[in-house]
């Protein structure tokens, strides 16, 4: 009788336990572990039996800049392959390039897709990731032995911004001299969020341009004062000096989104591409993310299509299972 009860208890326990959820920790926009921007990629099974509160709670539990959820689109004639959602430890966001790169890297590396292109359907509009061949001219250098991923994102146009706010930003940036400040705009895209209401996608990124490369790389921000600045994402940037392979550098501060400094923000480069194309009269850039972890992004701005192609590498650091 005891054996029977024990077996019955085990059976009930198995029934109430959820199927383990695979997750992958990936460093994006780098070819070295512990560099670039980390993201957790969770592959859901398409049944969508976990609600938004659970998704946010898991992202909070991981407590890294972005946790993304990749949901296969099955049983339909949709042109897209996967739904894609991004969460910081505190909030869901409309767009995240480094987590998209991490997601595509996970799908390509683990045989989850049978082609070199994958199309995502996030709430901010169609996003495409393409696996680039192992031999590739990356600013004059032959890249072999691994693959790169090219992301196709909408441009984020820059616009005039209220210069009266410059002292507020300068205080948050430890008194740095600001030579230009620009706002950003985006056409509102209405799309039905997965398992949620339709929402309008907008941007609240502000570009702050400093005098020199060193002003950005050596910057010691004051997070308490940055929290008082307008905007949700502060993009600090400067042009590279003559000689280096890079065209510009940047650092990204987003404490209002739960991320004090984003190691490499791909979507910020959708705005930086627009800004620096106007300043440098060019459309191809090699950009350096000057955070402590550092990272690199190859950027192409397609003016005719108003799209930005972001190319970079990623490396998988670990794989595990979510048991709840």
């Amino acid at each position: 009788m005891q054996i029977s009860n024990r077996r019955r208890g085990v059976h009930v326990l198995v029934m109430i336990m959820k199927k383990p959820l695979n997750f992958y920790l990936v460093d994006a926009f780098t070819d070295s572990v512990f560099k670039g921007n980390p993201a957790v990629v969770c592959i859901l099974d398409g049944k969508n039996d976990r609600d938004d509160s659970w998704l946010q709670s898991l992202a909070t539990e991981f407590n890294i800049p972005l946790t993304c959820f990749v949901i296969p689109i099955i049983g339909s004639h949709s042109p897209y392959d996967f739904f894609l959602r991004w969460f910081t430890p505190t909030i869901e966001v409309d767009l995240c390039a480094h987590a998209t790169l991490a997601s595509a890297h996970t799908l390509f590396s683990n045989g989850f897709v049978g082609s070199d292109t994958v199309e995502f359907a996030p709430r901010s509009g169609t996003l495409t990731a393409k696996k680039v061949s192992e031999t590739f001219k990356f600013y004059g250098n032959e890249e072999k032995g691994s693959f790169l991923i090219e992301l196709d994102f909408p441009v984020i146009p820059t616009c005039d911004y209220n210069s009266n706010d410059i002292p507020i930003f300068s205080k948050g940036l430890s008194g740095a001299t600001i030579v230009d400040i620009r706002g950003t705009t985006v056409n509102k895209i209405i799309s039905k969020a997965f398992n949620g209401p339709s929402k309008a996608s907008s941007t609240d990124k502000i570009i702050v341009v400093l005098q020199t490369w060193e002003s950005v790389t050596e910057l010691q921000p004051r997070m308490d004062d940055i929290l008082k600045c307008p905007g949700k994402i502060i993009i600090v940037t400067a042009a590279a000096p003559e000689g280096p392979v890079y065209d510009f550098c940047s650092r990204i501060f987003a404490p209002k989104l739960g991320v004090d400094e984003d190691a490499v923000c791909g979507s910020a480069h959708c705005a930086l591409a627009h800004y620096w194309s106007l300043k440098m009269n060019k459309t191809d850039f090699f950009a350096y993310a000057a955070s402590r972890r550092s990272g690199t992004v190859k950027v192409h701005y397609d003016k005719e299509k108003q799209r930005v192609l972001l190319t970079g590498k990623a490396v998988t650091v670990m794989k595990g299972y979510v048991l709840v």
Side-chain angles (χ1 to χ4, degrees), residues 24-29 37-43 66 68 70 84 86 96-110 120 129 147 149 151 312-316:
Y24 303 81
L25 178 58
V26 178
D27 290 338
F29 290 116
N37 206 352
V40 169
V41 180
C42 298
I43 310 294
L66 257 298
C68 49
V70 180
L84 187 58
W86 306 281
C96 180
H98 94 267
T100 305
L101 182 72
S103 298
H105 173 82
T106 299
L107 294 172
F108 290 137
S109 298
N110 293 279
F120 297 108
F147 62 88
I149 295 173
L151 305 177
K313 288 186 175 182
V315 291
T316 301

Side-chain angles (χ1 to χ4, degrees), residues 75-238:
S76 73
H77 298 289
S78 171
Y80 309 112
D81 302 305
F82 299 91
F83 290 108
L84 187 58
R85 297 179 70 176
W86 306 281
F87 290 80
T88 75
T90 61
I91 192 174
E92 183 175 9
V93 297
D94 289 330
L95 190 66
C96 180
H98 94 267
T100 305
L101 182 72
S103 298
H105 173 82
T106 299
L107 294 172
F108 290 137
S109 298
N110 293 279
F112 291 128
V113 291
S115 69
D116 288 341
T117 302
V118 59
E119 290 198 340
F120 297 108
R123 68 189 193 184
S124 54
T126 303
L127 300 177
T128 301
K130 182 171 68 175
K131 182 178 179 181
V132 180
S133 61
E134 293 184 357
T135 301
F136 180 75
K137 286 286 187 180
F138 198 55
Y139 265 71
N141 298 320
E142 289 280 348
E143 297 286 344
K144 297 181 179 180
S146 62
F147 62 88
L148 298 101
I149 295 173
E150 179 187 271
L151 305 177
D152 185 344
F153 272 49
V155 70
I156 300 177
T158 58
C159 60
D160 291 336
Y161 189 79
N162 183 7
S163 60
N164 293 332
D165 288 337
I166 287 181
I168 302 175
F169 287 100
S170 182
K171 184 177 181 182
L173 301 178
S174 300
T177 300
I178 296 173
V179 298
D180 196 8
I181 186 167
R182 304 290 289 176
T184 56
T185 62
V186 68
N187 293 329
K188 287 189 175 181
I189 303 171
I190 307 297
S191 61
K192 186 173 179 57
F194 185 66
N195 194 30
S198 296
K199 298 181 180 180
S201 176
S202 62
T203 183
D204 200 4
K205 298 177 174 68
I206 298 173
I207 295 178
V208 179
V209 186
L210 303 188
Q211 280 185 317
T212 65
W213 177 281
E214 291 76 18
S215 298
V216 176
T217 59
E218 299 173 7
L219 177 65
Q220 299 293 324
R222 299 170 179 165
M223 287 301 162
D224 288 344
D225 290 318
I226 286 182
L227 278 168
K228 300 173 185 176
C229 293
K232 293 180 181 178
I233 300 176
I234 311 304
I235 305 169
V236 182
T237 186

Side-chain angles (χ1 to χ4, degrees), residues 293-312:
R293 290 176 62 99
S294 72
T296 56
V297 187
K298 181 179 180 290
V299 183
H300 172 71
Y301 174 30
D302 188 328
K303 290 185 176 181
E304 181 178 350
K305 296 181 180 179
Q306 290 295 288
R307 306 288 294 185
V308 176
L309 302 181
L310 306 173
T311 303

